[in-house]
Coordinates of all heavy atoms in Angstrom, one line a residue:
C1 N 0.7 -1.2 0.0 CA 0.0 0.1 0.0 C 0.9 1.2 0.0 O 0.4 2.3 -0.6 CB -1.0 0.0 1.2 SG -2.2 -1.3 1.0
G2 N 2.0 1.2 0.7 CA 2.8 2.4 0.7 C 3.4 2.7 -0.8 O 3.4 3.9 -1.2
L3 N 3.7 1.7 -1.5 CA 4.2 1.9 -2.9 C 3.1 2.3 -3.8 O 3.2 3.3 -4.5 CB 4.9 0.6 -3.4 CG 6.2 0.2 -2.7 CD1 6.6 -1.2 -3.3 CD2 7.3 1.3 -3.1
A4 N 1.9 1.6 -3.7 CA 0.8 1.9 -4.5 C 0.3 3.3 -4.2 O -0.1 4.2 -5.1 CB -0.2 0.9 -4.4
G5 N 0.1 3.6 -2.9 CA -0.5 4.8 -2.5 C 0.5 6.1 -2.8 O 0.0 7.0 -3.1
G6 N 1.8 5.8 -2.7 CA 2.7 6.9 -3.0 C 2.7 7.1 -4.4 O 2.8 8.3 -4.8
L7 N 2.6 6.2 -5.3 CA 2.5 6.5 -6.7 C 1.2 7.2 -7.0 O 1.2 8.1 -7.8 CB 2.4 5.1 -7.5 CG 2.3 5.2 -9.0 CD1 3.4 5.9 -9.6 CD2 2.3 3.8 -9.6
F8 N 0.1 6.8 -6.4 CA -1.2 7.4 -6.6 C -1.0 8.8 -6.3 O -1.5 9.7 -7.1 CB -2.2 6.8 -5.7 CG -3.6 7.2 -5.7 CD1 -4.4 6.9 -6.8 CD2 -4.1 8.0 -4.7 CE1 -5.7 7.4 -6.8 CE2 -5.4 8.6 -4.7 CZ -6.2 8.3 -5.8
S9 N -0.5 9.2 -5.1 CA -0.4 10.6 -4.7 C 0.5 11.3 -5.6 O 0.3 12.5 -6.1 CB 0.2 10.7 -3.2 OG 0.4 12.0 -2.9
R10 N 1.5 10.8 -6.1 CA 2.4 11.4 -7.0 C 1.7 11.8 -8.4 O 2.0 12.6 -9.0 CB 3.7 10.5 -7.3 CG 4.9 11.3 -8.0 CD 6.1 10.3 -8.0 NE 7.3 11.1 -8.6 CZ 8.0 11.8 -8.0 NH1 7.9 12.0 -6.7 NH2 9.1 12.4 -8.5
L11 N 1.0 10.7 -8.9 CA 0.3 11.0 -10.1 C -0.8 12.2 -9.9 O -1.1 12.9 -10.9 CB -0.5 9.7 -10.6 CG 0.4 8.6 -11.0 CD1 -0.4 7.3 -11.4 CD2 1.1 9.1 -12.4
L12 N -1.4 12.2 -8.9 CA -2.5 13.3 -8.6 C -1.7 14.8 -8.5 O -2.4 15.7 -8.9 CB -3.2 13.2 -7.3 CG -4.1 11.9 -7.2 CD1 -4.9 12.0 -6.0 CD2 -5.0 11.8 -8.5
L13 N -0.4 14.7 -8.2 CA 0.3 15.9 -8.1 C 0.9 16.2 -9.4 O 1.6 17.4 -9.6 CB 1.5 15.9 -7.0 CG 0.9 15.9 -5.6 CD1 2.0 15.6 -4.6 CD2 0.4 17.3 -5.2
W14 N 0.9 15.4 -10.4 CA 1.6 15.5 -11.7 C 1.1 16.9 -12.4 O 1.9 17.7 -12.9 CB 1.3 14.3 -12.6 CG 2.1 14.4 -13.9 CD1 3.2 15.1 -14.2 CD2 1.6 13.7 -15.1 NE1 3.4 14.9 -15.5 CE2 2.7 14.1 -16.1 CE3 0.6 12.9 -15.4 CZ2 2.6 13.6 -17.4 CZ3 0.5 12.3 -16.7 CH2 1.5 12.7 -17.7
P15 N -0.2 17.2 -12.4 CA -0.6 18.5 -13.2 C 0.1 19.7 -12.4 O 0.4 20.7 -13.1 CB -2.1 18.5 -13.0 CG -2.5 17.0 -12.8 CD -1.4 16.4 -12.1
Q16 N 0.2 19.7 -11.1 CA 0.9 20.7 -10.4 C 2.4 20.8 -10.6 O 3.0 21.9 -10.9 CB 0.5 20.7 -9.0 CG 1.1 21.8 -8.1 CD 0.9 21.7 -6.6 OE1 1.5 20.7 -6.1 NE2 0.1 22.4 -5.9
R17 N 3.0 19.7 -10.5 CA 4.5 19.7 -10.7 C 4.9 19.9 -12.1 O 6.1 20.4 -12.3 CB 5.0 18.3 -10.1 CG 4.6 18.0 -8.6 CD 4.9 16.6 -8.3 NE 6.4 16.4 -8.2 CZ 7.0 15.8 -7.1 NH1 6.2 15.5 -6.0 NH2 8.3 15.7 -7.1
A18 N 4.1 19.7 -13.1 CA 4.5 19.8 -14.4 C 3.4 20.8 -15.1 O 2.9 20.5 -16.2 CB 4.6 18.5 -15.1
A19 N 3.2 21.9 -14.4 CA 2.1 22.7 -14.9 C 2.3 23.4 -16.3 O 1.4 23.6 -17.1 CB 1.9 23.9 -13.9
A20 N 3.5 23.4 -16.8 CA 3.9 24.0 -18.0 C 3.9 23.0 -19.2 O 4.1 23.3 -20.3 CB 5.3 24.7 -18.0
A21 N 3.7 21.7 -18.9 CA 3.7 20.7 -19.8 C 2.6 20.9 -20.8 O 1.5 21.4 -20.4 CB 3.7 19.2 -19.2
P22 N 2.8 20.5 -22.1 CA 1.7 20.7 -23.1 C 0.4 20.2 -22.7 O -0.7 20.8 -23.0 CB 2.2 20.1 -24.2 CG 3.8 20.2 -24.1 CD 4.0 20.1 -22.7
L23 N 0.3 19.0 -22.1 CA -0.9 18.3 -21.7 C -1.8 19.2 -20.7 O -3.0 19.3 -21.0 CB -0.6 17.0 -21.1 CG -1.9 16.2 -20.6 CD1 -2.7 15.9 -21.8 CD2 -1.4 14.9 -19.9
W24 N -1.1 19.7 -19.7 CA -1.8 20.4 -18.7 C -2.1 21.8 -19.2 O -3.1 22.4 -18.8 CB -1.1 20.4 -17.4 CG -0.7 19.0 -17.0 CD1 0.6 18.5 -16.8 CD2 -1.6 17.9 -16.8 NE1 0.5 17.2 -16.5 CE2 -0.8 16.8 -16.5 CE3 -3.0 17.8 -16.9 CZ2 -1.3 15.6 -16.1 CZ3 -3.5 16.6 -16.6 CH2 -2.8 15.5 -16.3
A25 N -1.3 22.4 -20.1 CA -1.6 23.7 -20.7 C -2.8 23.5 -21.6 O -3.7 24.4 -21.6 CB -0.4 24.2 -21.5
W26 N -2.9 22.5 -22.3 CA -4.1 22.2 -23.2 C -5.3 22.0 -22.3 O -6.5 22.5 -22.7 CB -3.9 21.0 -24.0 CG -5.0 20.8 -25.1 CD1 -5.1 21.5 -26.2 CD2 -6.0 19.8 -25.0 NE1 -6.3 21.0 -26.8 CE2 -6.8 19.9 -26.2 CE3 -6.3 18.8 -24.1 CZ2 -7.9 19.1 -26.5 CZ3 -7.3 18.0 -24.4 CH2 -8.1 18.2 -25.6
R27 N -5.2 21.2 -21.2 CA -6.3 21.1 -20.3 C -6.9 22.5 -19.8 O -8.2 22.7 -19.7 CB -6.0 20.3 -19.1 CG -7.2 20.0 -18.1 CD -6.8 19.2 -16.9 NE -6.0 19.9 -15.9 CZ -5.9 19.5 -14.6 NH1 -6.4 18.4 -14.3 NH2 -5.3 20.2 -13.8
R28 N -6.0 23.4 -19.5 CA -6.5 24.8 -19.1 C -7.2 25.5 -20.2 O -8.1 26.3 -19.9 CB -5.3 25.5 -18.5 CG -4.8 25.0 -17.3 CD -3.7 26.1 -16.6 NE -2.4 26.2 -17.4 CZ -1.4 25.4 -17.3 NH1 -1.4 24.4 -16.5 NH2 -0.3 25.5 -18.1
Q29 N -6.8 25.2 -21.3 CA -7.4 25.9 -22.5 C -8.7 25.2 -22.9 O -9.7 25.9 -23.3 CB -6.5 25.9 -23.7 CG -5.2 26.7 -23.4 CD -4.1 26.5 -24.6 OE1 -4.4 25.7 -25.5 NE2 -3.0 27.1 -24.4
R30 N -8.9 24.0 -22.9 CA -10.0 23.2 -23.2 C -10.6 22.4 -22.1 O -10.5 21.1 -22.2 CB -9.7 22.4 -24.4 CG -9.2 23.2 -25.6 CD -10.4 23.8 -26.3 NE -10.0 24.4 -27.6 CZ -9.5 25.6 -27.7 NH1 -9.3 26.3 -26.7 NH2 -9.2 26.1 -28.9
P31 N -10.9 23.0 -20.9 CA -11.3 22.1 -19.8 C -12.5 21.1 -20.0 O -12.5 19.9 -19.6 CB -11.6 23.0 -18.7 CG -12.0 24.3 -19.3 CD -11.1 24.2 -20.7
V32 N -13.4 21.6 -20.8 CA -14.7 20.7 -21.1 C -14.3 19.6 -21.9 O -14.7 18.3 -21.7 CB -15.8 21.5 -21.6 CG1 -17.0 20.7 -22.0 CG2 -16.2 22.7 -20.7
L33 N -13.6 19.8 -23.0 CA -13.3 18.7 -23.9 C -12.3 17.7 -23.2 O -12.4 16.5 -23.3 CB -12.6 19.3 -25.1 CG -12.0 18.2 -26.2 CD1 -13.2 17.4 -26.7 CD2 -11.4 18.9 -27.4
F34 N -11.4 18.3 -22.4 CA -10.4 17.4 -21.6 C -11.3 16.5 -20.7 O -11.0 15.3 -20.6 CB -9.5 18.2 -20.8 CG -8.3 17.5 -20.2 CD1 -7.2 17.3 -20.9 CD2 -8.5 16.9 -19.0 CE1 -6.2 16.5 -20.4 CE2 -7.3 16.1 -18.5 CZ -6.2 15.9 -19.1
A35 N -12.3 17.0 -20.1 CA -13.2 16.2 -19.2 C -13.8 15.2 -19.9 O -13.9 14.0 -19.4 CB -14.2 17.1 -18.5
G36 N -14.3 15.4 -21.2 CA -15.0 14.3 -22.0 C -13.9 13.2 -22.3 O -14.4 12.1 -22.2
I37 N -12.7 13.6 -22.6 CA -11.7 12.6 -22.9 C -11.4 11.7 -21.7 O -11.5 10.5 -21.8 CB -10.5 13.3 -23.5 CG1 -10.8 13.9 -24.8 CG2 -9.3 12.1 -23.6 CD1 -9.6 14.8 -25.3
C38 N -11.4 12.4 -20.6 CA -11.0 11.6 -19.3 C -12.3 10.6 -19.1 O -12.2 9.6 -18.6 CB -10.9 12.6 -18.1 SG -9.3 13.4 -18.2
G39 N -13.5 11.2 -19.3 CA -14.7 10.4 -19.1 C -14.8 9.3 -20.0 O -15.1 8.1 -19.6
L40 N -14.3 9.4 -21.2 CA -14.2 8.3 -22.1 C -13.3 7.1 -21.6 O -13.6 6.0 -21.6 CB -13.9 8.7 -23.5 CG -13.8 7.6 -24.6 CD1 -15.2 6.9 -24.8 CD2 -13.3 8.2 -25.9
A41 N -12.1 7.7 -21.1 CA -11.1 6.7 -20.6 C -11.6 5.9 -19.4 O -11.4 4.7 -19.2 CB -9.8 7.4 -20.3
V42 N -12.3 6.6 -18.4 CA -12.9 6.1 -17.4 C -14.0 5.0 -17.7 O -14.1 3.9 -17.1 CB -13.5 7.2 -16.4 CG1 -14.5 6.5 -15.3 CG2 -12.4 8.0 -15.8
A43 N -14.8 5.4 -18.8 CA -15.7 4.4 -19.2 C -15.2 3.2 -19.8 O -15.7 2.1 -19.5 CB -16.7 5.2 -20.3
L44 N -14.1 3.4 -20.6 CA -13.5 2.2 -21.2 C -12.9 1.3 -20.1 O -13.0 0.0 -20.3 CB -12.4 2.6 -22.2 CG -12.9 3.4 -23.5 CD1 -11.8 3.9 -24.4 CD2 -13.9 2.4 -24.2
L45 N -12.4 1.8 -19.1 CA -11.8 1.0 -18.0 C -13.0 0.2 -17.4 O -12.9 -0.9 -17.0 CB -11.1 1.9 -17.0 CG -9.7 2.4 -17.4 CD1 -9.2 3.4 -16.2 CD2 -8.7 1.3 -17.7
G46 N -14.1 1.0 -17.2 CA -15.2 0.3 -16.5 C -15.8 -0.8 -17.5 O -16.2 -1.9 -16.9

């Protein structure tokens, strides 16, 4: 759990730690479309 939870926390902090990365810059510009893409990925996992 320490390894898995540590990785989980690190991934949640990724948008903050790499705020200038193209992916997160695009999310700030297109938040609604980005939410739709994330929703599709969640749906496919489900």
